[in-house]
């Protein structure tokens, strides 16, 4: 019996999901929600606030973004006021304060301005760092790109530190450091310093989600890990909803950061409440510490800890039995696994393009982007539940393909729905986001089951890192609107349709045993086909024998058998 199997047996003996696990799960779910704050809050910090030129002598109190006269004073772009241009203004002076007022406009001439009126009474870095006008839009989208690059570079380092110093230590440290970076960033007085702190924030919290997931999964028995995965995914969705609600309630991005990141310092209390990963302790041979944790679990759950299982656990080799260790170059020696790995990396990228693209663009979907964003996060909850239901019914490959196809259809359909049908537009958009959430659940599960044990962790991390380039692309999609407003949705539709085709190249892993060797990984899905052929052959042979015993001619038997099968 391996150490992993033995630990699973011990956990089942002392309670697979008792009071102790309920406490751990609650703590993990709170962290999972907080971990999502830094992942998406930049979309509100660097939000493009719709603005137009201020027209002296025409503005009312309070000012209106689209007053009845705006088409006479400001050029129209996509039926909305241009951001930083107005028609040439004829001026006259008011003697009381020498303030120049517009008395008329020459529509044949356009001029720029430096005073603005905003659609909503909110403040993003656009106002604080003077990032107005279309030529500065790239500076807003660059924030998301810096966040993604920080995550890409920080992910492998976080994994190495987690293996060396422990899951709990790195989880607490990374979340606390991210919180500190967020607080410091809220006091930024230059755009450059803001970007630097954005990068450090993303770099420090890169591995928080995966570490959180590992700790949560390791304290429950194998049959409860699917439930744990669903709960963590739901918690991240709730975290996104919290970001949307707080952003809606507070007037400035600085206050938004201070509230969200300030709440993350609760992670420091986890030093006393959250135990270390049991599997990490066993790997480091810290058996006394692991024994204390297991005893506490048994005592809290009201169960008895078997000394026989404990002795077996502490005297079992941590490595899996009958498992060869393969260097990464062995992957390249297997054409099947190499093609599968490349396909997986591309599908990861397509998944993240549609998921984060639909999330980010929801903010500018209608006049109330906050409600749209909150709804986009909410639909992930039924999406995550549906993902596990579908994967257990139709298989993970077909679930993946179906979700990609629905996402593509929804994105493409959204382009052609008239703007006055706002409810239908929003419903179609949310359907696409729900499908994107299903994809995110499916790809984590599928990637962890199609590679051999010795390469599973490294290849999952590699696919995830490559996929994060999809977030880089998604964060730049608002720039596409400058050329053609529906262009981001076209991109989401095309990548989703391409993904629905590529996912058919994956083997089906439903009810398959996790492969330990490269040969087993290559043969995933083949065994079931061979078994079906063997069963058909056996059934056919049995029926032929029955018919021949009745003295029916062999030719007739073969014809009857062929017609039936």
């Amino acid at each position: 019996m391996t150490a992993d199997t033995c630990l699973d047996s011990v956990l089942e003996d002392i309670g697979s999901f008792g009071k102790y696990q309920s406490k751990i799960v609650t703590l993990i779910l709170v962290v999972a929600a907080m971990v999502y704050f830094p992942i998406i809050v930049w979309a509100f910090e660097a939000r493009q606030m719709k603005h137009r030129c201020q027209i002296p002598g025409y503005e009312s109190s309070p000012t209106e973004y689209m007053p009845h006269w705006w088409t006479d004073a400001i050029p129209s772009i996509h039926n909305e006021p241009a951001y930083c241009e107005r028609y040439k203004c004829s001026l006259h002076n008011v003697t009381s304060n020498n303030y120049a007022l517009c008395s008329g406009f020459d529509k044949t001439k356009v001029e720029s301005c430096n005073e603005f009126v905003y659609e909503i009474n909110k403040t993003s870095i656009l106002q604080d760092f003077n990032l107005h006008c279309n030529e500065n839009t790239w500076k807003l989208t660059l924030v998301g790109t810096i966040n993604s690059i920080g995550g890409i570079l920080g992910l492998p380092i976080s994994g190495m530190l987690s293996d060396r110093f422990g899951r709990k230590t790195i989880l607490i440290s990374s979340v606390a450091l991210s919180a500190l970076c967020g607080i410091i960033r809220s006091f930024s007085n230059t755009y450059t310093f803001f970007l630097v702190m954005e990068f450090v924030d993303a770099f420090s919290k890169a591995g928080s989600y995966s570490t959180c997931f590992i700790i949560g999964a390791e304290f429950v028995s194998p049959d409860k890990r699917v439930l744990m995965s669903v709960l963590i995914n739901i918690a991240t969705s709730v975290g996104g909803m919290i970001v949307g609600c707080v952003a809606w309630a507070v007037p400035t991005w600085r206050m938004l950061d201070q509230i969200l990141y300030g709440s993350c310092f609760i992670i420091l209390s986890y030093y006393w409440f959250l135990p270390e990963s049991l599997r990490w302790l066993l790997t480091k041979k810290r058996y006394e510490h692991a024994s204390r944790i297991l005893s506490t679990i048994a005592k809290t759950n009201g169960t008895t800890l078997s000394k026989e299982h404990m002795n077996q656990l502490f005297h079992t080799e941590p490595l899996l039995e009958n498992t060869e260790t393969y260097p990464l170059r062995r992957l390249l020696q297997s054409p099947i696994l190499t093609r599968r790995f490349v396909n997986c990396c591309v599908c990861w990228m397509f998944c993240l393009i549609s998921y984060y693209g639909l999330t980010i663009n929801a903010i500018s979907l209608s006049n109330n982007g906050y409600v749209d964003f909150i709804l986009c996060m909410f639909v992930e909850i039924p999406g995550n539940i549906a993902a596990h239901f579908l994967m257990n019914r139709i298989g993970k490959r077909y679930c993946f393909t179906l979700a990609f196809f629905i996402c593509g259809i929804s994105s493409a359909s959204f382009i052609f729905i008239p703007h006055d049908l706002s409810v239908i537009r929003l419903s179609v958009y949310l359907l696409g986001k729900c499908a994107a959430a299903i994809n995110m659940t499916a790809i984590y599960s599928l990637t962890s089951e199609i590679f051999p044990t010795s390469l599973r962790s490294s290849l999952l991390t590699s696919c995830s890192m490559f996929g994060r380039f999809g977030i880089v692309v998604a964060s730049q999609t608002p720039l596409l609107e400058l050329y053609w407003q529906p262009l981001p949705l076209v991109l989401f539709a095309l990548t989703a349709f391409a993904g629905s085709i590529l996912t058919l190249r994956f083997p089906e892993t439903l009810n398959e045993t996790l492969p330990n060797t490269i040969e087993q990984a290559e043969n995933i899905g083949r065994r079931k086909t061979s078994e079906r052929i063997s069963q058909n052959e056996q059934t056919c042979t049995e029926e032929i024998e029955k018919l021949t015993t009745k003295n029916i001619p062999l030719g007739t038997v073969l014809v009857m058998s062929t017609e039936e099968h």
Side-chain angles (χ1 to χ4, degrees):
M1 181 180 292
T2 65
D4 282 347
T5 306
C6 191
L7 179 58
D8 290 338
S9 300
V10 171
L11 289 174
E12 290 177 358
D13 286 345
I14 61 180
S16 59
F17 209 100
K19 293 181 179 179
Y20 188 89
Q21 282 90 345
S22 298
K23 183 191 76 171
I24 298 301
V25 168
T26 302
L27 293 173
I28 290 299
L29 294 183
V30 172
V31 179
M34 291 191 302
V35 163
Y36 200 77
F37 295 170
I39 293 177
I40 202 63
V41 71
W42 65 265
F44 291 99
E45 294 174 324
R47 180 182 180 183
Q48 173 64 277
M49 312 295 292
K50 290 184 179 180
H51 54 282
R52 64 167 175 83
C53 290
Q54 187 180 80
I55 309 299
Y58 280 72
E59 304 295 349
S60 60
S61 182
T63 57
E64 297 179 53
Y65 176 65
M66 296 179 68
H68 66 278
W69 48 261
W70 76 267
T71 54
D72 296 325
I74 302 171
S76 175
I77 299 178
H78 303 309
N79 297 320
E80 292 190 353
Y83 282 165
C84 298
E85 294 178 339
R86 67 185 182 190
Y87 294 124
K88 183 68 175 180
C89 177
S90 300
L91 303 176
H92 70 271
N93 293 329
V94 179
T95 56
S96 59
N97 56 9
N98 200 32
Y99 187 66
L101 302 179
C102 290
S103 60
F105 301 94
D106 182 358
K107 288 192 174 184
T108 63
K109 298 179 180 179
V110 175
E111 63 182 4
S112 59
C113 59
N114 53 18
E115 293 184 327
F116 307 96
V117 173
Y118 303 93
E119 181 184 31
I120 58 176
N121 188 25
K122 297 281 187 178
T123 302
S124 72
I125 64 172
L126 177 139
Q127 291 100 319
D128 286 357
F129 303 139
N130 192 24
L131 304 180
H132 301 85
C133 309
N134 289 336
E135 58 266 25
N136 287 319
T137 301
W138 69 271
K139 293 184 178 180
L140 298 175
T141 59
L142 181 62
V143 176
T145 301
I146 294 296
N147 184 286
S148 302
I149 294 174
I152 292 172
L153 298 179
L155 192 61
I157 295 178
S158 174
M160 290 186 292
L161 293 176
S162 178
D163 289 338
R164 180 171 182 178
F165 297 105
R167 319 292 191 221
K168 169 185 171 180
T169 302
I170 297 305
L171 177 63
I172 295 175
S173 301
S174 61
V175 175
L177 181 58
S178 173
L180 180 61
C181 291
I183 295 296
I184 295 174
R185 190 167 75 246
S186 70
F187 294 98
S188 301
N189 55 7
T190 66
Y191 174 71
T192 302
F193 183 74
F194 177 91
L195 289 183
V196 170
M197 295 312 301
E198 182 73 39
F199 175 84
V200 177
D201 176 13
F203 183 89
S204 62
K205 56 82 183 166
S208 300
Y209 176 81
S210 57
T211 305
C212 179
F213 184 86
I214 290 171
I215 294 177
E218 289 184 352
F219 277 95
V220 297
S221 59
D223 62 318
K224 296 294 188 299
R225 285 174 191 157
V226 172
L227 174 62
M228 190 69 205
S229 175
V230 173
L231 292 176
I232 290 179
N233 288 331
I234 290 175
T236 57
S237 301
V238 173
M241 295 168 63
I242 292 173
V243 172
C245 291
V246 176
W248 192 6
V250 301
T252 68
W253 68 271
R254 297 180 188 275
M255 186 181 298
L256 173 65
D257 280 2
Q258 290 161 9
I259 293 174
L260 293 178
Y261 283 96
S263 65
C264 292
F265 281 113
I266 193 177
I267 192 68
L268 296 175
S269 65
Y270 278 47
Y271 178 82
W272 294 277
F273 297 117
L274 185 68
E276 182 54 87
S277 161
L278 286 170
R279 282 177 172 76
W280 182 80
L281 291 173
L282 293 176
T283 302
K284 298 299 182 181
K285 297 184 179 182
R286 295 172 60 175
Y287 299 134
E288 184 178 351
H289 191 172
S291 178
R292 289 199 303 269
I293 294 176
L294 291 170
S295 298
T296 303
I297 296 175
K299 182 179 179 180
T300 305
N301 291 346
T303 56
T304 303
L305 184 60
S306 170
K307 292 184 178 180
E308 179 182 353
H309 279 168
M310 286 288 288
N311 291 332
Q312 189 176 14
L313 177 64
F314 295 152
H315 293 85
T316 303
E317 289 295 326
L319 295 176
L320 292 172
E321 294 178 343
N322 303 321
T323 302
E324 301 176 51
T325 301
Y326 300 98
L328 192 57
R329 61 182 175 82
R330 288 284 286 127
L331 172 70
L332 301 178
Q333 295 175 3
S334 169
I336 294 176
L337 294 188
T338 301
R339 290 194 299 268
R340 190 179 297 172
F341 172 69
V342 173
N343 190 29
C344 200
C345 288
V346 175
C347 286
W348 265 90
M349 187 174 68
F350 286 170
C351 273
L352 291 172
I353 286 176
S354 57
Y355 175 83
Y356 280 99
L358 290 171
T359 302
I360 295 166
N361 285 272
I363 298 176
S364 58
L365 192 59
S366 68
N367 292 332
N368 195 331
Y370 300 101
V371 173
D372 297 334
F373 179 85
I374 294 169
L375 290 175
C376 265
M377 299 308 305
F378 175 78
V379 296
E380 290 189 20
I381 297 177
N384 288 318
I385 296 173
H388 287 282
F389 175 81
L390 291 172
M391 285 190 293
N392 291 326
R393 293 295 186 277
I394 66 175
K396 296 173 183 178
R397 178 178 60 172
Y398 290 122
C399 172
F400 206 177
T401 301
L402 178 63
F404 255 137
F405 185 74
I406 293 175
C407 183
I409 288 292
S410 300
S411 300
S413 301
F414 182 85
I415 299 172
F416 300 100
I417 301 175
H419 286 268
D420 55 341
L421 301 177
S422 56
V423 175
I424 297 178
R425 280 171 58 86
L426 181 59
S427 299
V428 171
Y429 194 92
L430 293 178
L431 178 62
K433 179 58 189 301
C434 182
I438 293 175
N439 274 339
M440 291 304 301
T441 303
I443 198 167
Y444 266 104
S445 180
L446 190 66
T447 307
S448 64
E449 296 177 355
I450 59 177
F451 296 113
T453 301
S454 57
L455 296 175
R456 186 173 300 128
S457 179
S458 60
L459 294 186
L460 176 60
T461 302
S462 300
C463 290
S464 177
M465 287 179 59
F466 188 88
R468 284 175 180 262
F469 287 102
I471 307 179
V472 175
V473 174
S475 64
Q476 295 296 319
T477 52
L479 289 176
L480 299 178
E481 293 185 357
L482 300 179
Y483 302 96
W484 185 41
Q485 199 167 18
L487 198 52
L489 275 300
V490 173
L491 174 64
F492 305 151
L494 291 176
T495 53
F497 286 136
S500 66
I501 297 173
L502 293 176
T503 50
L504 291 173
R505 302 290 301 171
F506 288 120
E508 181 52 65
T509 62
L510 183 63
N511 298 325
E512 289 276 1
T513 303
L514 288 178
N516 285 333
T517 65
I518 285 182
E519 183 180 3
Q520 291 173 356
E522 291 176 336
N523 292 325
I524 290 179
R526 295 181 180 179
R527 187 177 68 253
K528 291 184 177 181
T529 303
S530 301
E531 290 175 354
R532 285 196 298 269
I533 294 174
S534 299
Q535 289 176 357
N536 289 338
E537 290 178 348
Q538 183 178 358
T539 303
C540 187
T541 303
E542 290 175 354
E543 293 192 6
I544 290 175
E545 291 176 354
K546 290 179 182 179
L547 293 172
T548 52
T549 56
K550 298 179 181 180
N551 296 323
I552 299 176
L554 181 59
T556 306
V557 170
L558 293 175
V559 171
M560 293 172 61
S561 178
T562 302
E563 290 177 348
E564 291 180 3
H565 296 283

